[in-house]
Amino acid sequence: MLTRRRFLAATAISTCAVITRSGGHAAAATSFELPLPIPRLIDAKADRNVSLVAARGTHAYRLGQPVLSFGYSAPVLGPVVRVARGQSVEFTVENRTDAPTTVHWHGLVIPSEVDGGPHNVLAPGTTWKASLPIEQSETTAWFHPHPHGDTARQVYSGLAGMLLVEDGTGERLGLPRSYGIDDLPLILQDRYFGRDGAPVYAPGPMDIMGGYRGDTIIVNGVSAPFARVPASLVRLRLLNGANARIFDLAFSDRRSFHVVASDGGYLAAPVAVQHLLIAPGERYEVLIDFSNGAEVILATGPDDNFPMMGMMRGNRSSADGGSVMKFTVDRDMPGAVKSMPQQLVDLPPVDRSGAARRRQFVLNDMMMGGMMGGGFGFGRSGSGPAMAINGRPFDMERIDVEAKRGTNELWEIVSQSMAHPFHIHGTQFRILSLNGRSPPPHLQGWKDTVLVTREAQILVPFTQMAGRDKPFMYHCHILEHEDVGMMGQFACT
Ligand code: C2O
Ligand code: CU
Ligand code: CU
């Protein structure tokens, strides 16, 4: 079980490790040779049409090793797409891969008809047109494949991109917003590379139980990059796009930094932290002060989130922490923002008495039948682990929950033997409690994914239409868990 104490201990260890690394013999281990790739920005505010082509490409994740990759209108990953509140954006998505896929807009509060969940299948060679009505506040969202049973492999192959919703708030607050200069998208993932430099995806039963981690961390598709930043405040838009790894981010000089936004938008005020946990599917926007001009390394602690209190970690090096990337300050770069606002936005108070009903979701990561049956022989394919919610593995044909539009519900999520990042489509919710206590300040804003170590209570508003033929999903965002059945679906009428 991931406890707070354990997280703190993990951070202390990782921070020491980094300090040693920059001064000691391990300095050569991470050389930060590749510049941080900045995805192309598509500004849909002007032209409301965006075309994305899912296709294969060639990409070097590591220096000098170009290999087969997949991306959306890019060799790997995809563009960052900027959309504005109040507009409808016409997306045209073409599938030029050889597998059926879907494109889900994670974090957008839009009708299920265009949500891109597992029911929106896009066969190879076909095109999907979706008109997305953008009505939510400013935030960082993302898009990725969501075909049932194949999401993990497709995301791992490189398919993922970022979406920025803008409504003028960041500009009014004076937050850094020069894309690629003092406003950087950071898509955090991990890969296991073969000798040729190509990512290997071959999860065994234990990898499915614990989630598939690689032993190499990548940022925007490359291993150990460096970024030049101005000597000012810089905004990092952090997205955990990994299949399973929980990042525990901290800087090598232990500087504090400020969290200004979570999944669904800005917090009430910046929250100072020295380290930050970010689970698969989550986003945070943080402000880092580089005005002292010092070079610094961003690192992550070990990730011991495995079933049976971490016992199933074994000696996997893929769960170790390490360097993520390096920042070098360039005093010639124009950094406009020197100070940070004290207040950000007004968040409505969370009122649990406003819940129309209460439901409980138990995330079953150790299906006892399978374990006691002497193996894992009850998965969909007849082999491999299966997972479930409230004892029922995902079924495309079954509606698990019927919610009423215009109401709020109190959902209680319970994890069994490890922590699970629980995500809900078509909404942004608020956390009422985590393990019986009120959430820390940086978890008090809008969220669509919550890391449930033991239990979480959340207040979920239902505003978007979802017919029974095309329901919304709720699931664990450890993609291996999602693919083997830790997912359910809800209609909303
Ligand atoms: Cu990011 Cu249902 O997914
Ligand atoms: Cu989603
Ligand atoms: Cu899970």
Side-chain angles (χ1 to χ4, degrees), residues 65-86:
Q65 290 192 301
V67 293
L68 170 70
S69 58
F70 286 85
Y72 293 109
S73 303
V76 75
L77 299 171
V80 169
V81 182
R82 186 149 70 189
V83 299
R85 181 181 194 164

Side-chain angles (χ1 to χ4, degrees), residues 102-107 115-117 128 142-146 423 425-426:
T102 85
V103 181
H104 166 57
W105 321 99
H106 179 138
D115 181 59
W128 179 50
W142 64 303
F143 54 98
H144 63 77
H146 214 305
H423 168 55
H425 287 211

Side-chain angles (χ1 to χ4, degrees), residues 104 106-107 142 144-146 281 423 425 449 473-475 477 479 482 487:
H104 166 57
H106 179 138
W142 64 303
H144 63 77
H146 214 305
H423 168 55
H425 287 211
T449 307
M473 304 294 131
Y474 54 87
H475 59 90
H477 220 287
L479 301 180
E482 171 186 337
M487 177 153 74

Side-chain angles (χ1 to χ4, degrees), residues 209 305 363 365 387 418-421 476-478 481-482 486:
M209 301 285 288
N305 188 29
L363 308 179
D365 49 25
M387 294 196 178
M418 63 183 282
H420 300 276
C476 174
H477 220 287
I478 291 178
H481 293 180
E482 171 186 337
M486 195 180 278

Side-chain angles (χ1 to χ4, degrees), residues 14 18 21 30-37 61 185-190 215-227 236 238-239 245-252 276 278 296-302 320-327:
S14 73
V18 168
R21 202 167 275 148
T30 307
S31 43
F32 306 105
E33 287 169 297
L34 290 163
L36 176 74
Y61 292 89
L186 296 186
I187 302 176
L188 308 175
Q189 298 174 308
D190 56 357
D215 60 359
T216 306
I217 290 157
I218 57 171
V219 189
N220 296 351
V222 304
S223 160
F226 68 90
L236 304 179
L238 304 168
L239 157 63
R245 178 184 295 268
I246 299 171
F247 289 90
D248 184 3
L249 302 171
F251 288 92
S252 52
L276 179 66
I278 176 168
V296 71
I297 290 166
L298 178 65
T300 188
D320 292 350
S323 302
V324 174
M325 64 178 292
K326 186 174 81 171
F327 292 92

